[in-house]
Amino acid sequence: MGLLAFSPACKRQGQDKEITNLQEKAAELDKMSQKANVAGADQSRKLKEAGVNDIRPNAETLQLTPEQKAALEERIKAEKNSSYQALLQEVLDKDKEIKELNEKISKLRAVLPKPDLAKENDSHYGMAMRFLKRKGVSEAKAKQLISRVLIMDKLAPGFEVYHFYNNGVYGTWVSQGKATITPTELQAEEKAKIEGERDSAQAEVTKKSEELTDLSAQKAKLIADIEALQGEKTKMIKEMEALNASNEAAKAKLNSLHYVVGERKALEKDGVIIVPIFAKDRAGSNWSDGVFTKAMDLRSQDTITITAGEVGLKKIGKISVVPGSIEKDKHYSLTISEDRATAVIKILVKDRFKNEKVVFAVTD
């Protein structure tokens, strides 16, 4: 079941009637889709009851392929158990029902505008505002139109949000789409949650009222409760700030290149890398998080500048990058200045370096 609403910017019935007609079609489409979902679930259940594990209806259309239907028909003919025969026949009957529903759904979709698909954290208001702005409606006018329609407080991922706009009239309608819950069910849940919180609060007020036997003692108790709540609030704010900081740090780490720059021989001596004779440099026994003290957030940066002085050299002759699977001119580029005093490494493929530990080993 969906949410139906329109905004009459003017009173001309023809304009409202056109939008209402589209909304009714959207409602009918949603009804057909839900019937198809129920029939599909029933079909899958009957297949399981019949012990058929090698046939799965199409996940998108919920229909069987011609080959699957033919296979079931053969099983019905070969099956001697009448109860299994009946179950398999019910599966085929359900497939016919689903096919008919899908045909009706396709016809309805053909005359309806393409709906917006709600994603995580999408809001009905925001989707309506974006739609109206795309139609060239000013922000002030869009707010006015939206204020006249029923807007859902919350959307579930997978909801299909229809928008209708014609000659200054805006309408919107929300259907279940691919979500696991209907808009009506979601609204009922939210309402029950609010009412539950309200009832709990009222019960708490009643309880407190019954305890008011001594005004002075109650006043002292309320003051103590308020101070405790304020302390808890302060504590929760600090915990939330710490959690946010931790989350940001985690995001930064996941999106950063963690690296160390050093003189190649020194890095080899310290066990950070191994320098084979006939192969690329590779990680050594002391390759650990504590070695990679530098980091570059790839969300905002893409270059690293290395100087000969920082690794105790007069000039930069060569820079080896470990691990060797990171390829020059494919994943990064290297530019050494004419005086060989500095080198600039530019990241070309950021995804290859995200949360990666990399050694830049410099030789003279």
Side-chain angles (χ1 to χ4, degrees):
M1 186 174 182
L3 177 71
L4 181 66
F6 69 88
S7 167
C10 56
K11 296 296 183 180
R12 283 176 285 183
Q13 293 183 353
Q15 294 173 0
D16 294 350
K17 185 176 179 181
E18 182 175 343
I19 290 180
T20 301
N21 181 53
L22 288 172
Q23 290 172 320
E24 289 171 351
K25 291 187 186 306
E28 186 180 355
L29 184 150
D30 190 34
K31 184 179 179 181
M32 295 297 103
S33 295
Q34 290 187 42
K35 282 186 177 180
N37 289 336
V38 171
D42 195 25
Q43 182 187 59
S44 295
R45 179 176 59 79
K46 292 183 185 299
L47 281 170
K48 187 176 181 181
E49 288 177 3
V52 179
N53 300 313
D54 57 341
I55 293 179
R56 292 286 182 273
N58 182 282
E60 188 67 25
T61 65
L62 306 177
Q63 291 181 225
L64 299 171
T65 65
E67 293 79 9
Q68 290 173 327
K69 285 191 285 187
L72 281 178
E73 289 169 351
E74 288 299 319
R75 290 194 187 194
I76 291 173
K77 292 177 183 178
E79 182 59 59
K80 295 180 180 180
N81 188 314
S82 60
S83 62
Y84 283 152
Q85 281 183 326
L87 278 172
L88 293 174
Q89 185 59 50
E90 287 180 25
V91 170
L92 291 176
D93 292 342
K94 284 293 176 185
D95 187 67
K96 181 181 179 182
E97 179 185 347
I98 293 168
K99 181 181 178 182
E100 291 173 352
L101 288 168
N102 282 338
E103 289 173 351
K104 292 178 181 178
I105 289 169
S106 295
K107 290 179 181 178
L108 288 168
R109 286 195 184 279
V111 298
L112 286 168
K114 185 177 179 181
D116 283 342
L117 187 65
K119 300 184 289 297
E120 192 74 34
N121 300 322
D122 270 344
S123 72
H124 195 178
Y125 182 91
M127 296 173 84
M129 182 63 75
R130 289 195 295 273
F131 168 81
L132 288 170
K133 284 186 175 180
R134 288 198 299 268
K135 288 292 184 180
V137 180
S138 69
E139 184 170 349
K141 185 64 176 178
K143 288 180 178 179
Q144 183 184 48
L145 292 176
I146 294 170
S147 71
R148 296 175 179 174
V149 301
L150 295 175
I151 293 292
M152 290 190 68
D153 295 329
K154 186 177 181 181
L155 296 177
F159 277 178
E160 291 181 344
V161 182
Y162 288 86
H163 304 284
F164 311 102
Y165 184 72
N166 183 42
N167 295 327
V169 180
Y170 171 68
T172 181
W173 195 88
V174 179
S175 66
Q176 182 178 358
K178 297 299 181 182
T180 57
I181 187 172
T182 68
T184 301
E185 290 169 343
L186 180 61
Q187 286 181 307
E189 284 187 2
E190 290 298 305
K191 181 180 178 182
K193 179 181 177 182
I194 292 171
E195 289 178 348
E197 292 173 350
R198 181 201 62 200
D199 292 344
S200 296
Q202 288 176 343
E204 185 67 17
V205 170
T206 301
K207 179 182 177 182
K208 293 296 182 183
S209 297
E210 292 172 352
E211 294 173 352
L212 289 175
T213 56
D214 187 331
L215 292 177
S216 297
Q218 187 62 18
K219 180 179 178 181
K221 183 178 182 303
L222 288 172
I223 291 173
D225 287 346
I226 290 170
E227 291 175 348
L229 286 171
Q230 288 175 335
E232 186 66 21
K233 179 181 178 181
T234 301
K235 179 183 176 183
M236 288 179 66
I237 290 173
K238 289 182 179 179
E239 289 176 350
M240 288 178 65
E241 289 174 348
L243 181 61
N244 288 335
S246 176
N247 287 340
E248 286 303 314
K251 287 181 183 178
K253 181 178 179 181
L254 290 172
N255 287 281
S256 292
L257 161 62
H258 308 278
Y259 67 98
V260 61
V261 178
E263 196 274 325
R264 190 180 184 210
K265 291 182 180 178
L267 291 168
E268 181 184 21
K269 181 180 178 182
D270 293 339
V272 177
I273 61 173
I274 295 173
V275 181
I277 297 175
F278 299 111
K280 293 181 178 180
D281 297 354
R282 64 176 185 270
S285 59
N286 196 30
W287 184 285
S288 61
D289 290 346
V291 172
F292 299 89
T293 56
K294 294 185 177 183
M296 180 174 71
D297 193 331
L298 295 167
R299 293 174 297 181
S300 57
Q301 299 172 282
D302 63 1
T303 58
I304 298 172
T305 300
I306 299 173
T307 65
E310 70 179 287
V311 294
L313 299 175
K314 293 182 178 179
K315 293 184 178 181
I316 297 174
K318 179 183 176 183
I319 296 179
S320 299
V321 179
V322 183
S325 58
I326 298 175
E327 301 178 28
K328 182 182 176 184
D329 296 327
K330 177 180 179 182
H331 300 120
Y332 71 95
S333 66
L334 171 63
T335 305
I336 301 176
S337 63
E338 291 186 5
D339 60 4
R340 309 198 78 79
T342 61
V344 176
I345 293 173
K346 182 176 177 61
I347 306 302
L348 302 178
V349 183
K350 289 188 175 183
D351 285 345
R352 180 62 184 84
F353 289 87
K354 283 184 178 179
N355 201 26
E356 178 72 275
K357 291 190 276 290
V358 177
V359 169
F360 297 104
V362 186
T363 55
D364 57 12

